[in-house]
Amino acid sequence: KQEVTQIPAALSVPEGENLVLNCSFTDSAIYNLQWFRQDPGKGLTSLLLIQSSQREQTSGRLNASLDKSSGRSTLYIAASQPGDSATYLCAVQEYGNKLVFGAGTILRVKS
Amino acid sequence: EAGVAQSPRYKIIEKRQSVAFWCNPISGHATLYWYQQILGQGPKLLIQFQNNGVVDDSQLPKDRFSAERLKGVDSTLKIQPAKLEDSAVYLCASSSLRGRGNTIYFGEGSWLTVV
């Protein structure tokens, strides 16, 4: 059974810092790995999707890497801003399109 | 392009009552999902439809939860009778194909509080 773990559970940083969120998964038989953002009271917004054959994806200040063989992914956020404050969820997409999520990292960026 | 629509957004019911949530996926999306997200946890898949057929309902508590997707478009998730532990946000999502690596789009969720 696939299990996804995210570390840390919560993170508080001053504005402008670069930061890394970690995600690990137990079964490497995946289509892809996705990072989502969730704001309080809102649904999920897809940030980055890395196919299983890829190593990384970039969007603006966000960079996500994938090491499928070791079951790890990182989300790097450069020059953090207060508007980045949210919960970040990592999910792996298994064969059949099912997404298995981690519990998330709650990020707070202080101004 | 309109996103995934869900209603109601918020619902408070007493335990043992029933509740129903409705979802309208993005037009043309064949696959529809219902996820349950308990506070402090990641979303968990309850049921996945491909058109109007069930693909995966292994984590759906079938003694109290039911879902249907008539005509392969919108869907309804019902809970009867509700328990306190059913308090959660119920997220509907859709994707275009049951294929490799398709982006899944989520609605804003239906927030349920059982008292």
Side-chain angles (χ1 to χ4, degrees), chain A residues 1 31-32 34 36 38 40-44 46 49 51-53 89 93 95-99 101-103, chain B residues 9 33 35 37 40-43 45 48 56 59 91 95 97-104 106-108 111:
Chain A
K1 179 185 173 184
Y31 276 145
N32 59 51
Q34 301 182 40
F36 292 88
Q38 187 173 35
K42 300 290 186 179
L44 307 181
S46 180
L49 184 155
Q51 300 290 358
S52 60
S53 58
L89 292 160
Q93 193 165 26
Y95 301 151
N97 264 7
K98 171 183 174 180
L99 281 174
F101 285 85
Chain B
R9 289 294 319 279
Y33 314 79
Y35 282 83
Q37 186 178 21
Q41 300 181 17
L45 179 69
Q48 177 183 344
D56 184 345
Q59 298 190 91
L91 295 162
S95 65
L97 288 170
R98 183 172 177 256
R100 181 185 172 97
N102 291 291
T103 299
I104 298 177
F106 284 81
E108 296 216 320
W111 298 75

Side-chain angles (χ1 to χ4, degrees), chain A residues 1-2 44 89 91 98-103, chain B residues 33-39 41-48 56-61 64-65 77 85-86 88-92 106:
Chain A
K1 179 185 173 184
Q2 180 77 262
L44 307 181
L89 292 160
K98 171 183 174 180
L99 281 174
V100 180
F101 285 85
Chain B
Y33 314 79
W34 283 102
Y35 282 83
Q36 178 194 56
Q37 186 178 21
I38 294 171
L39 186 65
Q41 300 181 17
K44 179 186 77 173
L45 179 69
L46 292 177
I47 190 167
Q48 177 183 344
D56 184 345
D57 65 355
S58 57
Q59 298 190 91
L60 186 73
R64 298 182 301 105
F65 286 65
L77 176 70
E85 58 261 36
D86 298 332
V89 58
Y90 292 85
L91 295 162
C92 181
F106 284 81

